[in-house]
Amino acid sequence: MPSSPKIPKETILQHALQMLIREGYCALNIKALAKEIGCSTQPISWHFGNMDGLRRALLEYALQYAKEKQTTSSSGMAAFYEAGTAYIDIAFDEPRLFQYLYMNNNEKVFIGGFDAITDTTEGNIVKAQIAQQLDINIEEVEIFCRNMMIYTHGLASFIAAGLITVTKQEVYEMIRQSAKGFLSQINAGLRK
């Protein structure tokens, strides 16, 4: 059996992610990646087999990278807001990555829809904290979160696609205002 290449898998994935961020997914192929790294195609083929193997590994790697950017040590509404603004930041700062992860129908990203995003241990903890902070029930928190996620994703998609020109601060304020509006709808429903 041939010895393993001296270029670690992590190094290859780091370079592939940087190419994706800089040039977009369409520019990424094994030969271009090998040139980027400064090696032959052999280490890439050894680790991933072919382009399909590299694609699968890159998707997982890119998702983890994005998740780390959205992770916060805050709780409740602050955690939800910080995760949302980090999502917006990716659209502003790394639009090709945002398009690849959230606008290209990658099956692994969207399996399970909203539940896959919010029905995690961390998501359930944040939802319970929000319910307690706002004195509303979990179902109302889930409606609020769903509405905010749809609104935030729409904004981020427009930003990443270059369809609107706004500053991050303007978008952060738009998110704050929409949160107030969605919460006022919930509060109005409680008074009925």
Side-chain angles (χ1 to χ4, degrees), residues 170-182:
E170 289 171 322
V171 172
Y172 298 160
E173 184 57 29
M174 292 166 72
I175 290 171
R176 278 191 281 279
Q177 292 303 318
S178 65
K180 289 179 185 177
F182 290 133

Side-chain angles (χ1 to χ4, degrees), residues 91-92 95-96 98-99 103 154-166:
F92 269 106
R96 290 182 177 103
F98 185 91
Q99 291 168 1
M103 295 173 68
L155 276 174
S157 295
F158 280 125
I159 292 161
L163 297 175
I164 61 172
T165 306
V166 290

Side-chain angles (χ1 to χ4, degrees), residues 114-182:
F114 289 116
D115 292 340
I117 299 167
T118 59
D119 255 0
T120 62
T121 301
E122 299 85 9
N124 288 326
I125 291 169
V126 170
K127 285 189 290 188
Q129 292 167 340
I130 292 171
Q132 185 176 8
Q133 285 175 333
L134 301 179
D135 193 27
I136 59 178
N137 64 47
I138 290 295
E139 292 79 20
E140 292 164 332
V141 172
E142 288 174 347
I143 291 167
F144 168 74
C145 290
R146 182 198 62 214
N147 290 341
M148 284 303 303
M149 290 165 57
I150 291 168
Y151 181 77
T152 303
H153 178 72
L155 276 174
S157 295
F158 280 125
I159 292 161
L163 297 175
I164 61 172
T165 306
V166 290
T167 67
K168 282 184 185 180
Q169 293 308 318
E170 289 171 322
V171 172
Y172 298 160
E173 184 57 29
M174 292 166 72
I175 290 171
R176 278 191 281 279
Q177 292 303 318
S178 65
K180 289 179 185 177
F182 290 133

Side-chain angles (χ1 to χ4, degrees), residues 40-108:
S40 71
T41 59
Q42 193 273 334
I44 299 166
S45 296
W46 192 88
H47 283 296
F48 303 104
N50 56 29
M51 193 61 194
D52 285 338
L54 176 62
R55 281 186 191 113
R56 284 189 299 277
L58 178 58
L59 177 59
E60 295 296 327
Y61 192 78
L63 282 169
Q64 184 60 38
Y65 173 82
K67 183 179 178 181
E68 287 171 11
K69 286 182 165 268
Q70 295 175 60
T71 301
T72 175
S73 60
S74 297
S75 62
M77 284 295 286
F80 188 68
Y81 177 76
E82 289 171 17
T85 56
Y87 190 76
I88 292 291
D89 289 346
I90 294 170
F92 269 106
D93 302 336
E94 299 164 320
R96 290 182 177 103
L97 174 65
F98 185 91
Q99 291 168 1
Y100 170 69
L101 289 177
Y102 307 117
M103 295 173 68
N104 284 332
N105 197 24
N106 286 309
E107 291 172 11
K108 286 196 172 218

Side-chain angles (χ1 to χ4, degrees), residues 7 12 15 19 28-44:
I7 299 173
I12 296 168
H15 283 277
M19 278 187 72
L28 187 64
N29 61 60
I30 290 178
K31 286 183 182 181
L33 181 57
K35 184 177 179 183
E36 173 88 7
I37 297 168
C39 68
S40 71
T41 59
Q42 193 273 334
I44 299 166

